[in-house]
Each structure stands twice: as structure tokens, then as C-alpha cells.
Amino acid sequence: MTETATTATVRSPSVPPALGGPGLFTVLLAAALPLIDFFIVNVALPTIGADLHAGEAVLELVVAGYGVAYAVLLVLGGRLGDLFGRRRLFLGGMAAFGLTSLACGLAPSAWSLVAARVAQGAASAAMLPQVLATIQAATSGGRRARAMSLYGATAGLSMVAGQILGGILVAADIAGTGWRSVFLVNVPVVVVGLVLGARFVPETRSQKPEPVDGPGTVLLAVSLLTLLAPLTEGRAAGWPLWTWLSLAAFPGVAVAFYAVERRADRAGRTPLVPPSLFELASLRRGLAMMLPFSIGFSGFMFVIAVALQSGEHLGPVAAGTALAPMAVAFLFVSLAGPRLIARYGSRVVTAGSVIQMVGLVLVVLAAVRDWPHLDLVGLLPGVAVAGAGQALQLPNVLRLVMSEVPPARAGVGSGVMVTTQQSALALGVATLGTLFLSLVPHQGMRDALVVTLLVQLGLVVLTGLLSLRLPRTVS
């Protein structure tokens, strides 16, 4: 009787499954992969273009196809995890990510690479929302706070490390694979992740799963496509008529999406993105801050990669490792983040934005002073200080956004957060990248870089002001 009672207690649905150390490592590994792959191609694009005889517009699709597919399907991926089980979607998405990475690495032409990248983005959208949802559903208290801080640190470090790793892999030309290794490297990592995931990641799902919101899914996809597709492809394509029509359609589609979701929410159904979720001040204000932060982050990474390779004529390794001080500073400062947040609350985020401003000013001064001989030594102080500032912002904001989301809505909450982040990353490349590349023919590489960095500085000022509205304490 005792053994039976004990077994029943362990299996009781009221007791949430625990996410242990190996399981947390596995989901954080999965969180790193999609973000690394968003940035890893930045320094590989010149080599890809030369090898596959691809023009600028097609090369932009290699980046944009992945980013748009990823952003469009993220919320749906979170909902499917709530419905069918997060572990199941996690493992399925990871397996698909490995297969599509293999397809990218073996692509015989530029257009087949674009198609494989779109599929890779869709696979990422199935896998990544399950990471945050699993952390939210299978941890609590201090363990959840530590896990969310580690997730934020992983996300930020992955975005910088991706660009560094891309440069190293392209230059290493492992077994003659050249640029293909930036995709093929995912395959053995995915195999390890699948083995660990099958053993250590617990299964969780919503206690009251809702069917997929068909109209909401379609309208969200269309609204993101009408915004992201023309912005990412417009400049390279010469801003044809379809880009302007698409941008003109975006506000109407976005309003229709909100109306449909609000009506479903009021009717007692669970829409794809419940408007009631935005009643949580921590989520609403955290997402508002994440938009300018992520736009500036991805724009900076893209512009620096292009400027150092095309303007300074640095190789992929030198261009990638120029950002190594940022990665190192981000890693060490983010480790101190939980203690600082516990002591000073969300004002740590405000301090991070001020520190990032100082770093960007140092980068601008280095570009003005050293061009056309800007290198790792000249960039080191600025990128290191900027990385330290980013480390005080991103992990803590990601943790704050999810802090009040109930476990039953963990999937949709994580989907909304990651969609916001990913859409902003794509917008950063589209807007700041377009600004930079449009200025180069008229003002030269150095002045174009300086102007773009000053625009990013304005975005950092905005994040600092928005951080003042964050809840003072972070749970």
C-alpha cells in the first residue's frame, strides 16, 4: 500500500515535473542554435555569393528567409507545444532543425539554399518556444529565476558568438567545406541534443489545451510578412511596387489581427495571442523595451560585419573576432546579473543602457579616428563596454517578461516574447542595414558606419527611457 501511494503521489498531475541540470543544459543548447544561425551567416555571405554565383538580393534572402519564417511561426509553435506536449515538439523541432541544417550545408544552388533556410527557420519556430515554456512549467522559485537568467545570458552570448564562429569556420575550410561548415556544424550538435532531450527533458503541456486559432494564425503570419518581407528585400530589389503595396497593407492587417484576437478573448476562447496577456505590466513593458534593443543589436552586428569585410577588407576570422571582447564581457557580466537584480531591481537594466551608450560612443570615436585602419585593438574598448551594458539588459528583460506568465500559458507567452525578439532582430537588419548600405555610395563607408551607429545610439537612449517604466522588482 505504501509503495502504491508513493507512486501515485509522484505521478499526480498536481506535482509539476522537474527540470534538472542536464535537462536545463539541453534546452539552453537548443535555445542557442537558432540565434547562432541567425547571425552565423553574416560573415559567410561574401563566400556564399562567390561560390554559388548569387547576387545581393538572393544573399539577403538567405538571411531574411530564415528570419521571416522563424518570426512568423513562433507563436504557432508555442501553441502547438501547449496542445501536443512541449517535449514532443521540442524533439521534433530539433530533429527538423538538424535535417534542414544538413540541407543548407549540401545546397547545390543559391535558391535551394534559400529554400532550406526557410525550412530551417520553420524548424526553429517549432523548437525554441518549448525552451521557455518548459522552464516556466517545470521550475519554480529560485530555480526558475536562475534558469531564466541563464536563458537570457545564452541568448545574448549566442548572437555574438554566432558571428565569431561563422568567421572561424569559413576560414578553417574544414575538409574543403568552406561556408558549408557553418550549417553542417549543427548536425552533430543536434544529435547530442536529441539524445539528451529524450532522456532529461520532462514532458509538460497545458492542463486545458485549446485548439489552434486558425484566423489568428493566418492574420499574424500575413501581418508579419507584409512588414518584414518588403523591408528585408526592398532595397536590394530596387523597391518595386509590391514592396510599397505590402507596407501599405500592414496597418490594416495588424488591426484586423488585433480585432479577431480580442473578440476571441472576450468570447472565452484562447486566441493565438491573447490580448489579456498584455494586461501583465511586466510582459507589456518588457516587450516594449525589447523592440528597440533587439533592432539596434542585430543592426549593429550586421553593419559591423559588412564594414569590416567590405570597407576594411578584413578576412572572416578578423571580422568575427573583432567582436570577441563583446562576447567575453557579456559572458562575465551576465553571470553577475542575478545578484545585481536581487539587490538593485530593474534599475540594473537602466544602468546597462547607460553603459551601452558609452560603449557605442567609443566605437564611433574609434571609427572616426582609425578609419581605414579600424581593427580589433581600436574596437576593443567600445565593444567590450557595449557588451557589458547589453549583459545587464537582455537577460534581465527576458526574465522579467515571463515572470508573471502563468504556467498554463507558458507556451503562448514564450511564443509572443520570442516572436517580438525575432521580428525586431529581422527589423534591425532590414532598417539599419538598409540605411547603412544606402548611405555607402554617397557618403563612403566610414561616414555611413558613423551615421548608422548614431541612429543605434538613439535606440539605446530609448531603451534606457523605457527601462524606467519596468516594475522595480524582478521575481
Side-chain angles (χ1 to χ4, degrees):
M1 284 292 292
T2 303
E3 183 179 353
T4 303
T6 302
T7 303
T9 301
V10 171
R11 293 178 180 177
S12 170
S14 63
V15 180
L19 182 68
L24 179 60
F25 170 80
T26 305
V27 296
L28 291 180
L29 177 68
L33 287 173
L35 289 169
I36 286 174
D37 264 60
F38 183 84
F39 290 92
I40 201 170
V41 298
N42 280 350
V43 292
L45 287 176
T47 311
I48 293 172
D51 187 38
L52 298 182
H53 309 291
E56 185 180 355
V58 178
L59 287 177
E60 287 200 6
L61 276 175
V62 172
V63 179
Y66 175 85
V68 172
Y70 185 19
V72 163
L73 297 172
L74 273 165
V75 179
L76 177 61
R79 172 59 64 82
L80 292 175
D82 287 347
L83 187 62
F84 296 111
R86 293 157 188 148
R87 178 175 175 271
R88 180 180 300 178
L89 262 291
F90 174 80
L91 294 175
M94 181 175 276
F97 184 85
L99 290 173
T100 52
S101 296
L102 181 63
C104 289
L106 300 178
S109 66
W111 284 107
S112 62
L113 177 59
V114 170
R117 284 284 282 173
V118 171
Q120 190 186 34
S124 298
M127 175 176 64
L128 188 61
Q130 319 316 325
V131 173
L132 276 171
T134 298
I135 291 174
Q136 192 78 353
T139 60
S140 60
R143 288 180 60 86
R144 179 182 296 171
R146 286 190 295 273
M148 287 300 299
S149 294
L150 286 171
Y151 172 85
T154 300
L157 192 60
S158 298
M159 291 189 278
V160 182
Q163 208 143 303
I164 299 171
L165 180 62
I168 293 172
L169 288 173
V170 170
D173 193 20
I174 302 169
T177 54
W179 62 266
R180 298 177 186 274
S181 61
V182 304
F183 302 113
L184 296 176
V185 71
N186 292 330
V187 177
V189 177
V190 165
V191 171
V192 172
L194 288 172
V195 173
L196 293 176
R199 183 171 181 182
F200 295 113
V201 176
E203 180 64 281
T204 63
R205 68 180 72 202
S206 175
Q207 294 298 315
K208 296 179 180 179
E210 296 283 343
V212 172
D213 173 16
T217 300
V218 171
L219 285 171
L220 177 62
V222 173
S223 61
L224 289 173
L225 282 171
T226 54
L227 175 65
L228 296 177
L231 287 178
T232 53
E233 280 299 296
R235 187 197 63 82
W239 297 105
L241 179 62
W242 73 264
T243 59
W244 298 109
L245 293 176
S246 181
L247 288 171
F250 168 69
V253 179
V255 169
F257 169 70
Y258 177 75
V260 167
E261 299 298 273
R262 185 177 60 177
R263 186 163 56 247
D265 212 10
R266 289 178 174 176
R269 302 190 301 273
T270 302
L272 185 71
V273 180
S276 58
L277 201 62
F278 291 88
E279 294 174 5
L280 301 174
S282 57
L283 181 138
R284 184 177 66 252
R285 294 173 184 176
L287 291 181
M289 183 184 163
M290 191 183 299
L291 275 170
F293 177 89
S294 298
I295 288 172
F297 192 107
S298 64
F300 173 83
M301 299 294 286
F302 177 80
V303 166
I304 284 291
V306 174
L308 292 180
Q309 290 188 95
S310 299
E312 294 284 359
H313 305 292
L314 298 181
V317 172
T321 54
L323 298 175
M326 177 181 285
V328 173
F330 192 102
L331 173 62
F332 285 102
V333 175
S334 64
L335 293 176
R339 292 193 299 274
L340 293 172
I341 281 286
R343 184 170 181 178
Y344 300 108
S346 63
R347 291 301 171 259
V348 171
V349 179
T350 306
S353 65
V354 174
I355 293 170
Q356 188 185 1
M357 290 178 212
V358 173
L360 274 176
V361 170
L362 291 174
V363 173
V364 169
L365 292 176
V368 172
R369 181 189 67 234
D370 297 340
W371 196 272
H373 304 294
L374 187 63
D375 56 13
L376 173 62
V377 175
L379 285 172
L380 191 151
V383 296
V385 172
Q390 290 163 346
L392 293 177
Q393 296 174 81
L394 182 60
N396 297 316
V397 171
L398 292 177
R399 172 180 163 188
L400 182 74
V401 168
M402 293 294 292
S403 61
E404 295 179 338
V405 176
R409 285 187 161 182
V412 67
S414 65
V416 168
M417 189 187 81
V418 182
T419 297
T420 302
Q421 182 189 29
Q422 182 59 39
S423 299
L425 291 175
L427 276 174
V429 175
T431 54
L432 295 184
T434 296
L435 171 66
F436 172 71
L437 294 172
S438 300
L439 290 174
V440 168
H442 308 289
Q443 298 192 14
M445 190 74 71
R446 188 199 72 172
D447 290 349
L449 175 63
V450 169
V451 170
T452 307
L453 290 176
L454 290 175
V455 171
Q456 190 203 351
L457 185 62
L459 291 172
V460 178
V461 172
L462 178 59
T463 63
L465 294 174
L466 290 172
S467 72
L468 296 174
R469 300 184 66 248
L470 295 175
R472 189 61 186 267
T473 59
V474 182
S475 59

